Amino acid sequence: MCDAAMSGNGFALSDECGQIQDAIEITSDKGNICREIMSELTDWFSEPAVIEACAEAIESLPMFGCVDKNRVAGFVAMQSHPPDAMEILVIATRRAYHRSGVGKRLLAAAEDCARTAGCKILTVKTLAPRGTDEPQYDATRAFYDKNGFIRAEIFPTLWGEGHPCLFFVKPLEAIS
């Protein structure tokens, strides 16, 4: 039998069988966690100013993470857009945990956060296809597709020329 443990700082640790538990809320050191993980993911986050802006922004936002052996394997930070939407402002998983289920656990935490806040939709933005070989973004878009998000709109210049933004939406309740 495998037992889960909790650390003194409130992090849920991986259980005795090495399975990462569901995401838990992170309330401290959010900016540093964000900087550290995003800085590892240079295929997605290559601009230091973008990483710093994210790290500063999430300090006051709800953040959830999956923890393995006292190390945050991945995190998601949420931004509210009242009255009915919540956005995944940033989500990132250490490369060593890609395809391990951490991202799916982070999405579940994001959905729970949005539902608890009474939101009807969850949104996320990522880079839209731009006619170049970018398998990392192909994988990101496929991840959202596979997890019930709908490609809603492309904003060609939201992030600047040459960086088209793909806006995804996920209904959290039946639309009548």
Side-chain angles (χ1 to χ4, degrees):
M1 176 171 222
C2 302
D3 295 319
M6 292 291 288
S7 69
N9 63 6
F11 282 166
L13 307 176
S14 55
D15 66 24
E16 292 176 6
C17 295
Q19 297 295 315
I20 296 174
Q21 301 300 302
D22 290 341
I24 50 93
E25 186 168 12
I26 295 175
T27 57
S28 62
D29 208 26
K30 296 189 259 187
N32 286 331
I33 292 166
C34 176
R35 276 183 207 92
E36 182 181 330
I37 294 176
M38 288 178 76
S39 293
E40 287 182 18
L41 302 170
T42 56
D43 288 348
W44 289 267
F45 308 107
S46 59
E47 298 177 27
V50 171
I51 294 170
E52 188 56 33
C54 287
E56 289 176 13
I58 68 169
E59 283 292 347
S60 62
L61 298 176
M63 181 177 177
F64 302 89
C66 290
V67 181
D68 182 29
K69 300 178 184 111
N70 283 326
R71 183 177 187 205
V72 178
F75 73 93
V76 61
M78 310 296 297
Q79 183 169 353
S80 180
H81 295 291
D84 293 322
M86 190 164 286
E87 175 183 5
I88 295 173
L89 184 67
V90 62
I91 184 170
T93 302
R94 292 180 194 277
R95 194 176 305 276
Y97 293 93
H98 286 190
R99 305 197 59 78
S100 71
V102 168
K104 193 169 186 106
R105 286 178 174 86
L106 294 172
L107 284 183
E111 289 180 33
D112 288 346
C113 179
R115 282 190 179 96
T116 299
C119 294
K120 295 177 182 170
I121 61 170
L122 181 62
T123 68
V124 67
K125 298 176 188 112
T126 192
L127 194 63
R130 49 188 178 173
T132 59
D133 185 30
E134 296 176 310
Q136 72 277 26
Y137 286 109
D138 293 340
T140 297
R141 292 184 291 269
F143 172 73
Y144 292 126
D145 290 335
K146 182 174 73 174
N147 284 285
F149 284 83
I150 301 162
R151 297 176 185 217
E153 188 168 356
I154 293 177
F155 297 98
T157 58
L158 180 67
W159 292 333
E161 201 66 41
H163 295 86
C165 170
L166 175 56
F167 183 64
F168 280 93
V169 176
K170 182 172 185 176
L172 298 176
E173 59 183 38
I175 299 173
S176 40

